[in-house]
Amino acid sequence: MARGLMRLGPGLLPFADAATAELPLGRLLRLALFQVTVGMAAVLLIGTLNRVMIVELDVPAWIVAVMLSLPLVFAPFRALVGFRSDTHRSVLGWRRVPYIWFGTLLQFGGLAIMPFALLILSGDTTGPVWPGHVAAALAFVLVGAGLHTTQTVGLALATDLAPAHVRPKVVALLCVMLLVGMLVSAVAFGLLLADFSALRLIKVIQGAAVVTLVLNGIALWKQEARDPSRTDRHAPRRTFSQSWAAYANSGLARRRLVATGLGTAAFSMQDILLEPYGGQILHLPVAATTALTAMLAAGGGLGLLLAARWLGRGGDAFRVAAAGSGTGILAFSAVIFAAPLDSIPLFALGVTLIGLGGGLFAHGTLTASMAKAGPEETGLALGAWGAVQASAAGVAIAASGILRDLGSYLATSGALGEGMNQPSTGYLMVYHLEIALLFATLVAIGPLVRDPAARRRAGHAGQALPNPSV
């Protein structure tokens, strides 16, 4: 019976077939814990603290917006961090572990000082308020730098450890663990801060700092082998500018990054608009709009699973990304038509398809970046992907709010004509722009699909060994 259960295991456990002799399932799940801490930090910054600072601490909204944008300052440096982890020389013979651990310490330090800074920022002090501004800015920058460093180098380490034929499944697992971390931490933070107090805020945020340190320490334990060849600090190394020039000029790397940026911006502009759109335009109650996040996450998880299965059968990563873009066009069309038709089911379908398309697109572009990277360029390639993705998402989210307000103002002022004087005009302008960006993404991806060399590289990463259970 035990043997029978062992044979059933890979078919019943999600991502069990991502395990290999080189990277067993237990070790893979342990490594994926770094994504849980990244998701926890993202939820804390974007979700929980966003509300706590404005509602409970009565911090002006413009200060909150500035503070929440500070973590994105470090996003463009992800390529440099990835490159340094590729070429790092250490007396211990490690190249990835020191950077992941340093990123963990940055997250820990930022979260450790953050609650006290926020309390001073709210005016709960007998002294001047400016130290609160400075300390809060420092805390958000430290957390942002830490999570970007940890995620970039963690993905590079996973690429180093995973054989090429299972990397698509490993990518899917890592992305799902990020969603799990966001979901679990969102529920936990909501429950822990339900009875809000300053002391409770300090305990929760500093507790998150300790959890980050512990989980990332478990994730790193005995993952990277020590290499004596990496202990020579005087060995010749290429500079970042030389490596970047070689990477950017190889194949269609620039086009791939452009496609990643356009698609990420298209899927990110709706992040802060879906719930207000559902409440203001479709008159959904708060409980129903909150459920939109679950629909989005469910669609994203399904997209990751479909992408892993598609690539596991030898599919082209660029075609997967293109399928995600096409799904996104259908999704935003459904969201747009939900307003004039006053159809809540159509809106729910559109939200789920947004998650599905986003999951396919993210998985396809990340797998393509992994396939492009050589053994000594993994960090640089994944850092470039992460830098473009994070920067595009941040700019898109900020632009969507501005465009929505501008569109609503023009509509209500009559500048767009009587027919456009509708509450939904500002939202619909953003959704139409997202559709246009997705069409532009398909234009950028087209030559990548037709390029034989790029297809061979991306396809190699998704090529699975013959497996009758797939």
Side-chain angles (χ1 to χ4, degrees):
M1 180 177 290
R3 292 182 180 179
L5 290 175
M6 292 179 65
R7 286 195 297 269
L8 288 174
L12 295 176
L13 294 175
F15 304 107
D17 55 352
T20 62
E22 300 88 347
L23 189 61
L25 183 60
R27 183 181 176 189
L28 178 58
L29 291 174
R30 186 161 54 82
L31 175 63
L33 289 176
F34 79 87
Q35 283 284 71
V36 174
T37 64
V38 170
M40 179 177 64
V43 166
L44 185 63
L45 295 181
I46 300 172
T48 305
L49 291 181
N50 185 17
R51 179 249 162 79
V52 166
M53 292 171 70
I54 293 177
V55 179
E56 278 79 12
L57 299 181
D58 199 26
V59 177
W62 72 269
I63 294 180
V64 175
V66 171
M67 293 298 172
L68 294 180
S69 67
L70 288 176
L72 291 174
V73 172
F74 196 81
F77 297 99
R78 290 179 66 145
L80 177 60
V81 170
F83 164 77
R84 293 301 300 268
S85 73
D86 286 335
T87 59
H88 185 66
R89 296 291 184 267
S90 165
V91 293
L92 296 176
W94 285 326
R95 58 172 180 167
R96 310 291 188 196
V97 169
Y99 282 89
I100 299 177
W101 189 243
F102 184 64
T104 301
L105 293 179
L106 289 175
Q107 284 180 258
F108 177 83
L111 293 173
I113 66 174
M114 184 176 292
F116 303 104
L118 295 181
L119 293 177
I120 297 175
L121 187 66
S122 68
D124 187 10
T125 176
T126 57
V129 180
W130 68 264
H133 290 79
V134 174
L138 176 62
F140 278 96
V141 169
L142 287 175
V143 174
L147 70 89
H148 285 303
T149 300
T150 300
Q151 188 177 51
T152 298
V153 185
L155 289 172
L157 177 59
T159 306
D160 294 340
L161 297 176
H165 66 276
V166 296
R167 283 177 187 168
K169 298 171 184 176
V170 171
V171 169
L173 172 61
L174 293 175
C175 293
V176 167
M177 290 295 282
L178 178 65
L179 294 176
V180 169
M182 296 178 70
L183 179 62
V184 172
S185 58
V187 174
F189 290 145
L191 294 175
L192 292 172
L193 292 174
D195 185 16
F196 181 82
S197 67
L199 181 59
R200 180 66 62 89
L201 179 66
I202 295 172
K203 290 180 177 180
V204 169
I205 298 180
Q206 292 197 329
V210 174
V211 171
T212 297
L213 198 67
V214 172
L215 290 185
N216 283 0
I218 295 173
L220 284 179
W221 182 254
K222 293 186 177 181
Q223 293 287 6
E224 184 180 21
R226 296 171 60 182
D227 185 353
S229 67
R230 299 191 179 279
T231 60
D232 186 4
R233 293 176 177 265
H234 302 289
R237 291 183 290 177
R238 288 196 298 181
T239 64
F240 174 73
S241 58
Q242 292 172 333
S243 297
W244 176 255
Y247 170 77
N249 295 324
S250 60
L252 297 172
R254 294 180 187 272
R255 179 174 285 273
R256 184 173 63 253
L257 293 177
V258 168
T260 299
L262 289 172
T264 300
F267 281 109
S268 300
M269 293 186 78
Q270 50 75 33
D271 280 357
I272 62 171
L273 298 181
L274 279 181
E275 289 195 33
Y277 180 78
Q280 183 180 359
I281 307 304
L282 298 175
H283 310 292
L284 295 175
V286 175
T289 57
T290 303
L292 296 175
T293 303
M295 296 179 188
L296 201 65
L302 179 60
L304 295 171
L305 291 172
L306 291 177
R309 188 174 183 83
W310 188 346
L311 292 168
R313 293 181 171 181
D316 180 7
F318 298 114
R319 291 188 183 275
V320 173
S325 301
T327 304
I329 293 172
L330 295 176
F332 289 114
S333 298
V335 170
I336 289 171
F337 282 107
L341 296 176
D342 194 24
S343 174
I344 295 175
L346 184 61
F347 179 57
L349 174 63
V351 171
T352 305
L353 288 178
I354 289 173
L356 175 63
L360 288 170
F361 180 81
H363 197 306
T365 54
L366 179 54
T367 301
S369 297
M370 283 183 168
K372 172 65 183 69
E376 301 299 322
E377 296 178 340
T378 303
L380 176 63
L382 295 177
W385 174 86
V388 170
Q389 189 201 46
S391 301
V395 172
I397 291 173
S400 67
I402 296 172
L403 182 60
R404 181 264 176 196
D405 291 345
L406 177 61
S408 297
Y409 170 76
L410 293 175
T412 55
S413 67
L416 301 178
E418 184 178 352
M420 297 291 288
N421 190 1
Q422 302 291 334
S424 61
T425 298
Y427 294 102
L428 297 184
M429 289 178 64
V430 176
Y431 296 142
H432 279 91
L433 177 58
E434 289 180 289
I435 291 176
L437 288 173
L438 287 171
F439 275 114
T441 303
L442 289 174
V443 172
I445 291 177
L448 297 172
V449 175
R450 293 194 300 267
D451 180 40
R455 291 185 64 185
R456 281 195 301 271
R457 288 191 297 267
H460 178 69
Q463 186 65 44
L465 293 178
N467 187 347
S469 66
V470 176

